[in-house]
Amino acid sequence: MSNEIKVRQYENRKEYIDIQVERSRKKFGMCKVFMRDILRYRELLAWDYSREAGNQRLRSAWKPRRILCLGVRSGAENDLFRAGFFGPLLRSQTIARLAAAQDNTKYAHDKLKLARRYSLGAGHYADGRVMGVEINPDAERPDIFIGSFDELPADWSGQFDLIFTNSFDHSMDPAKTVAEWKRVAAPGAYVIVGFAMDQEQSDHDPTTGLTFEGLSELWQAPVVFASETFNRNGYHEVCFRLP
Ligand SMILES: C[S@@+](CC[C@H](N)C(=O)[O-])C[C@H]1O[C@@H](n2cnc3c(N)ncnc32)[C@H](O)[C@@H]1O
């Protein structure tokens, strides 16, 4: 593992889980994912997909079959991803711009309302196309697997062609976490990691020292895009394309 990445040690797994759940409960009403960024991911991934395939016409047609969001708290980001990637309304540039402009708070409740407004025709939220993973049992809903993102269900192998997280700094074992996410990724999947480069270590943020280089070393995959400035929440971002 990259020697820049540091991981806090816990007494045992239970201590780690208890701390994560307690922290998640305190901040349960918040969501740091924004529609503006999801729509940007959609454009960048469609562009990359069509370029890789050598066929520009695939650009407007590309959609992931299944999306996985890891460390989702109450799950509002599931709803935003569903609307952004599967909602016909947000295929219109004008409506997409409006939705992005309207998503301007970090309150999960507001994001749920926004996502509901724009997800007409996006399918049912329990259809399995967008799944979340959350360690806090309070997050229970049909599209959220309650458990740790480094121990995902056995039958998820090779299932997801878009994986998103802004919770990688909560991993207690980055190498194990990456191996698990690679297991559930479909061939050619995209993985987007949002992170804070200057994150201070705390009991609930055990993984620090994340950098573009350190993450690249962990993922060992080509970078599709990387950004220090684009993210609406102020996170750095890197996106990998798996083989
Ligand atoms: C920084 S919050 C991010 C929440 C959400 N993605 C957002 O943007 O608001 C991290 C979330 O990841 C969850 N989490 C931490 N460790 C986890 C693990 N090992 N497996 C699944 N979820 C975890 C926490 O409970 C918390 O809800």
Side-chain angles (χ1 to χ4, degrees):
M1 200 200 312
S2 160
N3 53 21
E4 294 157 35
I5 297 179
K6 307 233 171 353
V7 187
R8 180 193 189 281
Q9 297 304 305
Y10 293 90
E11 288 287 314
N12 50 45
R13 182 87 169 162
K14 183 176 179 312
E15 186 199 13
Y16 164 72
I17 294 173
D18 288 349
I19 289 172
Q20 293 304 330
V21 171
E22 190 193 338
R23 176 75 178 172
S24 178
R25 283 187 170 139
K26 272 192 194 137
K27 302 191 80 179
F28 204 63
M30 310 300 285
C31 174
K32 297 178 185 171
V33 181
F34 286 83
M35 184 60 94
R36 187 186 93 173
D37 296 312
I38 290 174
L39 296 173
R40 178 169 51 83
Y41 303 150
R42 191 186 72 185
E43 295 307 309
L44 287 168
L45 300 185
W47 172 79
D48 183 74
Y49 181 81
S50 60
R51 192 180 54 93
E52 279 292 297
N55 183 348
Q56 280 299 309
R57 272 180 300 174
L58 290 175
R59 185 166 168 175
S60 53
W62 185 77
K63 271 185 202 162
R65 279 157 300 176
R66 293 188 80 188
I67 300 175
L68 179 62
C69 301
L70 297 145
V72 294
R73 215 136 49 193
S74 69
E77 70 205 63
N78 283 18
D79 301 279
L80 293 176
F81 268 92
R82 166 173 292 283
F85 275 88
F86 300 124
L89 282 178
L90 292 177
R91 293 277 150 186
S92 146
Q93 291 295 328
T94 312
I95 299 179
R97 265 198 294 274
L98 187 66
Q102 287 173 345
D103 184 11
N104 49 25
T105 79
K106 289 189 187 175
Y107 294 109
H109 181 69
D110 293 336
K111 290 178 191 291
L112 283 175
K113 279 204 293 193
L114 180 107
R116 207 168 295 147
R117 201 174 309 142
Y118 290 105
S119 56
L120 190 72
H124 192 263
Y125 80 111
D127 63 13
R129 279 204 294 182
V130 182
M131 288 300 297
V133 176
E134 174 51 55
I135 208 163
N136 175 0
D138 299 353
E140 181 150 20
R141 40 182 255 191
D143 58 343
I144 296 184
F145 168 74
I146 301 295
S148 183
F149 52 47
D150 55 9
E151 289 175 353
L152 298 173
D155 61 356
W156 280 12
S157 293
Q159 288 286 311
F160 296 93
D161 25 34
L162 173 55
I163 294 179
F164 169 82
T165 195
N166 59 10
S167 303
F168 190 68
D169 55 328
H170 291 253
S171 169
M172 74 178 284
D173 184 340
K176 180 181 176 199
T177 301
V178 167
E180 189 63 344
W181 296 1
K182 279 188 172 175
R183 178 180 71 78
V184 300
Y190 293 105
V191 180
I192 300 173
V193 182
F195 65 102
M197 218 181 268
D198 50 2
Q199 181 74 56
E200 285 193 16
Q201 199 169 68
S202 66
D203 55 356
H204 52 269
D205 290 312
T207 293
T208 53
L210 294 175
T211 58
F212 294 112
E213 294 77 15
L215 284 164
S216 291
E217 206 175 302
L218 272 173
W219 279 94
Q220 296 285 315
V223 172
V224 178
F225 62 85
S227 151
E228 288 199 29
T229 52
F230 280 166
N231 185 303
R232 171 73 169 74
N233 192 57
Y235 282 143
H236 306 286
E237 288 176 339
V238 59
C239 173
F240 301 104
R241 184 191 331 103
L242 299 186

